[in-house]
Amino acid sequence: MMVLHGLLMWIMLNSVGHQLLNVMMKDQRSIQAPWDALPAFVGLLVLIVWAQLIQWLHLPTNLLYLLPVLAAWGLVMGVLNKTIDWRQPRRWLMMALMAVAVWFLVSGMPLAAWDSWLGWEMKAQQWLDHGLSAPLHRYEDWVKQPGGWVNPTAHYPDGLSLLFYVGLQWFANNQWLAWVLALMYVQLVVTVTNHLDQKQAPISLQVLAGLMLLTLPLINNHIMMFGYADIWLAMVMLLVVIRGELWNQFHQVNDGRLALMLCALLPAFKAEGWVWMALLLFAHFFSKFLIRKHRWVVVLLAATMILLWFGLDPWAHSWAGRTVVISQSLIQMGDAFSLQLIPQDVSFEMFSGLFLQNNWGLLWFFLPAVLVVWAFGRYPKHTQVSQTFLVLSFVAFVVLFTFTDASRWAENYTAINRITLQLAPVFVYLFIATWLDQKRAA
Amino acid sequence: MQHPAAEEAGCDRNPDHPTFKHKATSWLRFLAFSAVLLVVFFCGLLFVGSQPQQETDVTRAIEVKPGQMFFNDDHYHLSSQGGQLVEYPLDIPLSQWRQLPHLVIEATLNNENVWAQVLWKNGDDVVASSQIKNSQLAVVSLPAVVKEWDEEALSAYIQFGPLLDLGAASGNNDFVYQRMRLTSDSVITRWQMLWSHWQTFTPLRASALNYWSIQDITMPTALWLMGLLTVWLLGCWFMGVSLNQLTIAILLLWLVFSGPWLVNQVNNRAFINQRFDELAEGINDEDQSILQFSEQLRAELQSQNADHLPLMLALRGDFHRTRMAYHLHDLPVFMMTSDMDLDVLKRQKAVTEMLILTSEAVLSDCDLSHSIFPEWQSGELILQMDGYCVVKR
C-alpha cells in the first residue's frame, strides 16, 4: 500500500508541476524531457508554498485538497490533449530503469531517520493534533512561557515537515515519503543524463554520471533512511546549477525564472539554504564581472589577505560611536556586521569526512585534478558560474568549520558530512562536465 | 529532446573517424600509462618507508579476571558481560608498541553484532582510539597522537559492546579472536592492512547515522590514492586522451570501488525487508512495547483528565526517550534533565501540577521515597504499569 501512496503523491507533484510549467513555458514544452525532475520539484514548490500560506493565514486545511484536484485535472487534460505520449520508447525504457533504481534505493523500513522522527516528522504529527498553526517551541523556549508544545526543530524551516504533514492528512503513515524521495532522486539522475545528452555527451559519460549519482554511499543512506532535509537541499541545488547553466548559455528568460524559483526552495528546507542561495546568486554575478584571465589576480589577492590577516596585529578604529575591528578572533563593522571567530584545527575531521570514511566512494579524490583542470583549462563562459559556486561553497565550508563555533559539530562528523552531502551531487555533475566542457589550450 | 539552442553546445559526439591502428595505438598508450601509474601506486604504498618484518605475539596480553575469558574451538572468547560496553586493559608497553606500531588481530569472529576499538587513555581521559574492523584479519595502527605522546603512563584498552541497530542489540556480543600480534611497519603488514580495508567496506546498517561512519582507509593510503588519481587524470589531460577512453576507465574504476558497496546495499535491503516484514507498527520489539504503553498511558491520562498537563520524560537511553516522545506527540511532552527546578517550571508554565514519566530502571519499584531527586518525593504516584511509573507533582 505504501508504494501506491508514494506513487500517488509523486504523480500529484509531477502533474501539479506540469500545470505550472505549461502556463509558464507555453511555447517551450520541448525542454521537458521524459521523466525530467523539473515538474516534480516545481510541484514540490507549489505544495510547500500553498501549505505555508494556509499555515500563515490560518486558512482551512481542506484547501490542501485543491492540489490533488489540480493534479487530476492536469492528468485528464494531458490524456485528452495527447500531450502525454505513452508510445515513446525512451519513456518506457527510462521507466524500467527508474523502477530498478528505485527498488535499489528504497529499503522498506517502517520509519524515518531518528532525528526526523523526533523533529520534522513529529512537527507534522503535532500540527495534525493541535492545528497547522499550533505554537511549537524549542526546549529552551518552551520552559520560559506558558502553553505550547515542544519540538526540537521548531526553529527550522517548515518545508520538510509540511511535506510530511500533507501526506499524513491522507495516509496513515509516513512511508510514502521514502518512495517519493527515491523516485524524485532517480528523476534527478535522469535529468542529469538528459542534460548531458543535450550537450551531446557520449553515452558512456551519461552512464558514468548516472552510476556515480546512484552509488554514493551517504546519499543512498539518506534516501533509505528518509526524513533528513539535507538530501532535499542537495537535489534542489543540482537542479538550480543545471538550470542556471542553461540560463547562462542560452539566455532564455524561463530558465532564469526556473532557476530563481528552485532557489526559493532551498531555504524552505534548512537555514543553510539561505547561504547556498546567496552563494549561487553571488557566483552568478561574480562570474559575470570576472574575466577569466583575472583569476590568478583574485587568487593572489585572497592569499595576500589571508597572510596579512594571520600575520598582522589586531586592528581597531572607532569614530562617531562605530567601531571597526579586524583581528583573528573578531571581525566587526560597526553595528552592521559582527563575526566572532574561534579558530580550531579540524583539518583531520574534514579530511576524514571527505576521504577516509567510505561516504563518497572515490568522488572527492578527483577534486585536486578537477581544480587544476579548471584553473588551467579553457571553458565556455557559462560553465564558470557552477565552478565558481563550488569553489565559493568549499571556501565557505572551510571557513565555517575552521573559524566559527560550528567546529564543535565537526568533531563527530555530523555537520561536515551533512554539508558535504549537500554539495556532493553538484560536484558529481561538475566532475562530469569538467571533461565534457573543457577545451584544452593548444 | 534538444534544448532550443542545443546545437550550439559543447563537444562533437563524432568528431572524426580514426583508423583502427590509430585507435589501437591510442588505447595502448593510455593503458600503458595507467598501468605504470598503478604499479607506482602499489609500490609506493607498500615499499616507501617500510621496515623489515618483525613481530611479537600478544595473544594473551588482555588482562582478564577469572570467568571473563574462555577458550573454545581454537578461539578466545572475551565476555561482553551481558551485552554491555566493556573494556579490558591491554598489557602492552607503549615502548614496545612504538617499535611495532601495528596490532594485527586474526580471525575476529564478532562480525555483525559487536562494535570494538582500541583505546589509549591518560588516566580517565581518552587520548586516541582506533576501530577494530569486522574482518578475518583486523589491523589496528598506533595513532600518531599516541606515537608522539610523551607520557609513558599511557595505557591501552580493548573496548567493545553490542552494535546497536535501532536501539536494539542482537546475537552474541562476545569479542572472539584467534591470535593477536604486534608487527612492524613492513610490506607484509601494509599488504594485510590493504586487504583488510578491501574486505571491510563500511556496512550500511538499518540505523546507520550520517555521522556514524567507520574510517575505512588510512591517511597514507588516502594521500597515495589522491596523488595517483590526480597524476592519472592530469596525465590523461595532457596526453589528450579521448573522452571516451577516459570515461570508460573511470567507469571501470568506479565500478571496482563501488562493487562491494552495491552488493552490500542489496544484501542490506533484503535483511531490512526480512526484519521488518512482520512488524505492523513500531520499529522493533522494544519500540512495539513503547507504543503499546504510550497508548495505555494516553487513555489513562484522558480518563483522569490529566492529558493537558506537561509530561516530563525521565527515561534512560536515547532510543527509549525519543521513541516515547514520538509516540506521545499529541501531549505536551518534555525531556527532563536532572538539574530542572520543577516549581519554577510550574510557575513558568502557569500550571499547578505536572506529570513525570519514569521507569523502574530509574525509580526502583516506583517507590518515591527511594528517588535520588528530592523534588519527586513530594509527588504522588498515579500510575504503575509495565515497568513504568507516572508521578503527579
Side-chain angles (χ1 to χ4, degrees), chain A residues 156-190:
Chain A
Y156 278 81
D158 289 338
L160 185 56
S161 300
L162 287 169
L163 195 54
F164 271 119
Y165 175 78
V166 173
L168 284 168
Q169 286 272 337
W170 301 323
F171 315 126
N173 57 47
N174 57 35
Q175 285 131 56
W176 59 270
L177 187 60
W179 289 91
V180 170
L181 174 61
L183 280 162
M184 286 175 71
Y185 186 75
V186 176
Q187 260 186 302
L188 184 73
V189 176
V190 173

CSV table of all heavy atoms in Angstrom, one decimal, chain A residues 156-190:
chain,number,residue,atom,x,y,z
A,156,TYR,N,13.5,25.4,12.8
A,156,TYR,CA,13.9,25.1,11.5
A,156,TYR,C,12.8,25.5,10.5
A,156,TYR,O,11.7,25.6,10.8
A,156,TYR,CB,14.2,23.6,11.3
A,156,TYR,CG,15.5,23.1,11.8
A,156,TYR,CD1,15.8,22.9,13.2
A,156,TYR,CD2,16.6,22.9,10.9
A,156,TYR,CE1,17.0,22.5,13.6
A,156,TYR,CE2,17.8,22.5,11.4
A,156,TYR,CZ,18.0,22.3,12.7
A,156,TYR,OH,19.2,21.9,13.2
A,157,PRO,N,13.2,25.7,9.2
A,157,PRO,CA,12.2,26.0,8.2
A,157,PRO,C,11.2,24.8,8.1
A,157,PRO,O,11.6,23.6,8.4
A,157,PRO,CB,13.0,26.1,6.9
A,157,PRO,CG,14.4,26.4,7.3
A,157,PRO,CD,14.6,25.8,8.6
A,158,ASP,N,10.0,25.0,7.6
A,158,ASP,CA,8.9,24.1,7.7
A,158,ASP,C,8.8,23.2,6.5
A,158,ASP,O,7.9,22.3,6.5
A,158,ASP,CB,7.6,24.8,8.0
A,158,ASP,CG,7.5,25.3,9.4
A,158,ASP,OD1,8.2,24.9,10.2
A,158,ASP,OD2,6.7,26.3,9.6
A,159,GLY,N,9.6,23.3,5.5
A,159,GLY,CA,9.4,22.6,4.2
A,159,GLY,C,9.2,21.1,4.3
A,159,GLY,O,8.2,20.6,3.9
A,160,LEU,N,10.1,20.5,5.0
A,160,LEU,CA,10.1,19.0,5.1
A,160,LEU,C,8.9,18.6,5.9
A,160,LEU,O,8.2,17.6,5.6
A,160,LEU,CB,11.4,18.5,5.7
A,160,LEU,CG,11.5,17.0,5.7
A,160,LEU,CD1,11.3,16.3,4.4
A,160,LEU,CD2,12.9,16.6,6.3
A,161,SER,N,8.6,19.3,7.0
A,161,SER,CA,7.5,19.0,7.9
A,161,SER,C,6.2,19.2,7.2
A,161,SER,O,5.3,18.4,7.4
A,161,SER,CB,7.5,19.9,9.2
A,161,SER,OG,8.7,19.7,9.8
A,162,LEU,N,6.1,20.2,6.3
A,162,LEU,CA,4.9,20.4,5.6
A,162,LEU,C,4.6,19.2,4.6
A,162,LEU,O,3.5,18.8,4.4
A,162,LEU,CB,4.9,21.7,4.8
A,162,LEU,CG,4.8,23.0,5.7
A,162,LEU,CD1,5.1,24.2,5.0
A,162,LEU,CD2,3.4,23.1,6.3
A,163,LEU,N,5.7,18.7,4.0
A,163,LEU,CA,5.6,17.6,3.1
A,163,LEU,C,5.1,16.4,3.9
A,163,LEU,O,4.2,15.7,3.5
A,163,LEU,CB,7.0,17.3,2.6
A,163,LEU,CG,7.1,16.4,1.3
A,163,LEU,CD1,6.2,16.9,0.2
A,163,LEU,CD2,8.6,16.3,0.9
A,164,PHE,N,5.7,16.1,5.1
A,164,PHE,CA,5.2,15.1,6.0
A,164,PHE,C,3.7,15.3,6.3
A,164,PHE,O,2.9,14.4,6.2
A,164,PHE,CB,5.9,15.0,7.3
A,164,PHE,CG,7.2,14.2,7.3
A,164,PHE,CD1,8.4,14.7,7.5
A,164,PHE,CD2,7.1,12.8,7.1
A,164,PHE,CE1,9.5,13.9,7.6
A,164,PHE,CE2,8.2,12.0,7.1
A,164,PHE,CZ,9.4,12.6,7.4
A,165,TYR,N,3.4,16.6,6.6
A,165,TYR,CA,2.0,16.9,7.0
A,165,TYR,C,1.0,16.6,5.9
A,165,TYR,O,-0.1,16.0,6.2
A,165,TYR,CB,2.0,18.4,7.4
A,165,TYR,CG,0.6,18.9,7.8
A,165,TYR,CD1,0.1,18.6,9.1
A,165,TYR,CD2,-0.1,19.7,6.9
A,165,TYR,CE1,-1.2,19.1,9.4
A,165,TYR,CE2,-1.4,20.1,7.2
A,165,TYR,CZ,-1.9,19.8,8.5
A,165,TYR,OH,-3.1,20.3,8.8
A,166,VAL,N,1.3,17.1,4.7
A,166,VAL,CA,0.3,16.9,3.6
A,166,VAL,C,0.1,15.4,3.4
A,166,VAL,O,-1.1,15.0,3.3
A,166,VAL,CB,0.8,17.6,2.3
A,166,VAL,CG1,-0.1,17.2,1.2
A,166,VAL,CG2,0.9,19.1,2.5
A,167,GLY,N,1.1,14.6,3.5
A,167,GLY,CA,0.9,13.2,3.3
A,167,GLY,C,0.2,12.5,4.4
A,167,GLY,O,-0.7,11.7,4.2
A,168,LEU,N,0.5,13.0,5.7
A,168,LEU,CA,-0.2,12.4,6.8
A,168,LEU,C,-1.7,12.8,6.8
A,168,LEU,O,-2.5,12.1,7.5
A,168,LEU,CB,0.4,12.9,8.1
A,168,LEU,CG,1.8,12.2,8.5
A,168,LEU,CD1,2.5,13.0,9.6
A,168,LEU,CD2,1.5,10.8,8.9
A,169,GLN,N,-2.1,13.9,6.1
A,169,GLN,CA,-3.5,14.2,6.0
A,169,GLN,C,-4.3,13.1,5.3
A,169,GLN,O,-5.4,12.9,5.6
A,169,GLN,CB,-3.6,15.5,5.2
A,169,GLN,CG,-3.3,16.8,5.8
A,169,GLN,CD,-4.4,17.4,6.6
A,169,GLN,OE1,-5.6,17.1,6.3
A,169,GLN,NE2,-4.1,18.2,7.6
A,170,TRP,N,-3.6,12.4,4.4
A,170,TRP,CA,-4.3,11.5,3.5
A,170,TRP,C,-3.9,10.0,3.8
A,170,TRP,O,-4.7,9.1,3.5
A,170,TRP,CB,-4.0,11.8,2.0
A,170,TRP,CG,-4.4,13.2,1.7
A,170,TRP,CD1,-5.5,13.9,2.1
A,170,TRP,CD2,-3.8,14.1,0.8
A,170,TRP,NE1,-5.6,15.1,1.6
A,170,TRP,CE2,-4.5,15.3,0.8
A,170,TRP,CE3,-2.6,14.1,0.1
A,170,TRP,CZ2,-4.2,16.4,0.1
A,170,TRP,CZ3,-2.2,15.2,-0.7
A,170,TRP,CH2,-3.0,16.4,-0.7
A,171,PHE,N,-2.7,9.8,4.3
A,171,PHE,CA,-2.3,8.4,4.5
A,171,PHE,C,-2.0,8.2,6.0
A,171,PHE,O,-1.6,9.1,6.7
A,171,PHE,CB,-1.0,8.1,3.7
A,171,PHE,CG,-1.1,8.6,2.3
A,171,PHE,CD1,-0.1,9.4,1.7
A,171,PHE,CD2,-2.2,8.2,1.4
A,171,PHE,CE1,-0.2,9.9,0.4
A,171,PHE,CE2,-2.3,8.7,0.1
A,171,PHE,CZ,-1.3,9.5,-0.4
A,172,ALA,N,-2.0,6.9,6.4
A,172,ALA,CA,-1.9,6.6,7.8
A,172,ALA,C,-0.5,6.7,8.3
A,172,ALA,O,-0.2,6.9,9.5
A,172,ALA,CB,-2.5,5.2,8.1
A,173,ASN,N,0.5,6.6,7.4
A,173,ASN,CA,1.9,6.6,7.9
A,173,ASN,C,2.7,7.4,7.0
A,173,ASN,O,2.2,8.0,6.1
A,173,ASN,CB,2.4,5.2,8.0
A,173,ASN,CG,2.4,4.4,6.7
A,173,ASN,OD1,2.7,5.0,5.7
A,173,ASN,ND2,1.8,3.2,6.7
A,174,ASN,N,4.0,7.4,7.3
A,174,ASN,CA,4.9,8.3,6.5
A,174,ASN,C,5.7,7.7,5.4
A,174,ASN,O,6.6,8.3,4.8
A,174,ASN,CB,5.9,9.0,7.5
A,174,ASN,CG,6.7,8.0,8.3
A,174,ASN,OD1,7.0,7.0,7.8
A,174,ASN,ND2,6.9,8.3,9.5
A,175,GLN,N,5.5,6.3,5.3
A,175,GLN,CA,6.5,5.6,4.4
A,175,GLN,C,6.3,6.0,2.9
A,175,GLN,O,7.2,5.7,2.1
A,175,GLN,CB,6.3,4.1,4.6
A,175,GLN,CG,6.9,3.6,5.8
A,175,GLN,CD,5.9,2.8,6.6
A,175,GLN,OE1,5.5,1.8,6.1
A,175,GLN,NE2,5.6,3.1,7.8
A,176,TRP,N,5.3,6.6,2.5
A,176,TRP,CA,5.1,7.1,1.1
A,176,TRP,C,6.3,8.0,0.8
A,176,TRP,O,6.7,8.1,-0.4
A,176,TRP,CB,3.8,7.8,1.0
A,176,TRP,CG,3.6,9.0,1.9
A,176,TRP,CD1,3.1,9.0,3.1
A,176,TRP,CD2,4.1,10.3,1.6
A,176,TRP,NE1,3.2,10.3,3.7
A,176,TRP,CE2,3.8,11.1,2.8
A,176,TRP,CE3,4.7,11.0,0.5
A,176,TRP,CZ2,4.1,12.4,2.9
A,176,TRP,CZ3,5.0,12.3,0.6
A,176,TRP,CH2,4.7,13.0,1.8
A,177,LEU,N,6.8,8.7,1.8
A,177,LEU,CA,7.8,9.7,1.5
A,177,LEU,C,9.1,9.1,1.0
A,177,LEU,O,9.8,9.6,0.2
A,177,LEU,CB,8.1,10.6,2.8
A,177,LEU,CG,9.0,11.8,2.6
A,177,LEU,CD1,8.5,12.7,1.5
A,177,LEU,CD2,9.3,12.5,3.9
A,178,ALA,N,9.3,7.8,1.5
A,178,ALA,CA,10.5,7.1,1.1
A,178,ALA,C,10.5,6.9,-0.4
A,178,ALA,O,11.4,7.0,-1.1
A,178,ALA,CB,10.6,5.8,1.8
A,179,TRP,N,9.3,6.5,-0.9
A,179,TRP,CA,9.1,6.3,-2.3
A,179,TRP,C,9.2,7.6,-3.1
A,179,TRP,O,9.8,7.6,-4.2
A,179,TRP,CB,7.8,5.6,-2.6
A,179,TRP,CG,7.8,4.2,-2.1
A,179,TRP,CD1,7.5,3.7,-0.9
A,179,TRP,CD2,8.4,3.0,-2.8
A,179,TRP,NE1,7.8,2.4,-0.7
A,179,TRP,CE2,8.3,1.9,-1.9
A,179,TRP,CE3,8.9,2.8,-4.1
A,179,TRP,CZ2,8.7,0.6,-2.3
A,179,TRP,CZ3,9.3,1.6,-4.4
A,179,TRP,CH2,9.2,0.5,-3.5
A,180,VAL,N,8.5,8.6,-2.6
A,180,VAL,CA,8.6,9.9,-3.4
A,180,VAL,C,10.0,10.4,-3.4
A,180,VAL,O,10.5,10.8,-4.5
A,180,VAL,CB,7.7,10.9,-2.6
A,180,VAL,CG1,7.9,12.3,-3.2
A,180,VAL,CG2,6.2,10.6,-2.8
A,181,LEU,N,10.7,10.3,-2.3
A,181,LEU,CA,12.1,10.7,-2.3
A,181,LEU,C,13.0,10.0,-3.3
A,181,LEU,O,13.7,10.5,-4.1
A,181,LEU,CB,12.7,10.6,-0.9
A,181,LEU,CG,14.2,10.9,-0.7
A,181,LEU,CD1,14.5,12.3,-1.1
A,181,LEU,CD2,14.6,10.7,0.7
A,182,ALA,N,12.8,8.6,-3.3
A,182,ALA,CA,13.6,7.8,-4.2
A,182,ALA,C,13.3,8.1,-5.6
A,182,ALA,O,14.1,8.2,-6.5
A,182,ALA,CB,13.5,6.3,-3.9
A,183,LEU,N,12.0,8.2,-5.9
A,183,LEU,CA,11.5,8.5,-7.3
A,183,LEU,C,12.0,9.8,-7.8
A,183,LEU,O,12.5,10.0,-8.9
A,183,LEU,CB,10.0,8.5,-7.3
A,183,LEU,CG,9.3,7.1,-7.4
A,183,LEU,CD1,7.9,7.2,-7.0
A,183,LEU,CD2,9.5,6.5,-8.8
A,184,MET,N,12.0,10.8,-6.9
A,184,MET,CA,12.4,12.2,-7.3
A,184,MET,C,14.0,12.2,-7.5
A,184,MET,O,14.5,12.9,-8.3
A,184,MET,CB,12.0,13.2,-6.3
A,184,MET,CG,10.5,13.5,-6.5
A,184,MET,SD,9.8,14.6,-5.3
A,184,MET,CE,10.4,16.2,-5.8
A,185,TYR,N,14.7,11.4,-6.7
A,185,TYR,CA,16.1,11.4,-6.8
A,185,TYR,C,16.5,10.7,-8.2
A,185,TYR,O,17.4,11.2,-8.9
A,185,TYR,CB,16.8,10.6,-5.7
A,185,TYR,CG,18.3,10.7,-5.7
A,185,TYR,CD1,19.0,11.8,-5.4
A,185,TYR,CD2,19.0,9.6,-6.2
A,185,TYR,CE1,20.3,11.9,-5.5
A,185,TYR,CE2,20.4,9.7,-6.3
A,185,TYR,CZ,21.1,10.8,-5.9
A,185,TYR,OH,22.4,10.9,-6.0
A,186,VAL,N,15.8,9.6,-8.5
A,186,VAL,CA,16.1,8.9,-9.7
A,186,VAL,C,15.7,9.8,-10.9
A,186,VAL,O,16.4,9.9,-11.9
A,186,VAL,CB,15.4,7.6,-9.8
A,186,VAL,CG1,15.6,6.9,-11.1
A,186,VAL,CG2,15.9,6.7,-8.7
A,187,GLN,N,14.6,10.6,-10.7
A,187,GLN,CA,14.2,11.5,-11.8
A,187,GLN,C,15.3,12.6,-12.0
A,187,GLN,O,15.6,13.0,-13.1
A,187,GLN,CB,13.0,12.3,-11.3
A,187,GLN,CG,11.7,11.8,-12.0
A,187,GLN,CD,10.5,12.7,-11.6
A,187,GLN,OE1,10.2,12.9,-10.4
A,187,GLN,NE2,9.9,13.3,-12.6
A,188,LEU,N,15.9,12.9,-10.9
A,188,LEU,CA,17.0,13.9,-11.0
A,188,LEU,C,18.2,13.3,-11.7
A,188,LEU,O,18.9,14.0,-12.6
A,188,LEU,CB,17.5,14.3,-9.5
A,188,LEU,CG,18.6,15.4,-9.5
A,188,LEU,CD1,18.0,16.7,-9.8
A,188,LEU,CD2,19.2,15.4,-8.1
A,189,VAL,N,18.5,12.0,-11.5
A,189,VAL,CA,19.6,11.4,-12.2
A,189,VAL,C,19.2,11.4,-13.7
A,189,VAL,O,20.1,11.6,-14.5
A,189,VAL,CB,19.8,9.9,-11.7
A,189,VAL,CG1,20.8,9.2,-12.5
A,189,VAL,CG2,20.2,9.9,-10.2
A,190,VAL,N,18.0,11.1,-14.0
A,190,VAL,CA,17.5,11.1,-15.4
A,190,VAL,C,17.7,12.5,-16.0
A,190,VAL,O,18.1,12.7,-17.1
A,190,VAL,CB,16.0,10.6,-15.5
A,190,VAL,CG1,15.5,10.8,-16.9
A,190,VAL,CG2,15.9,9.2,-15.1
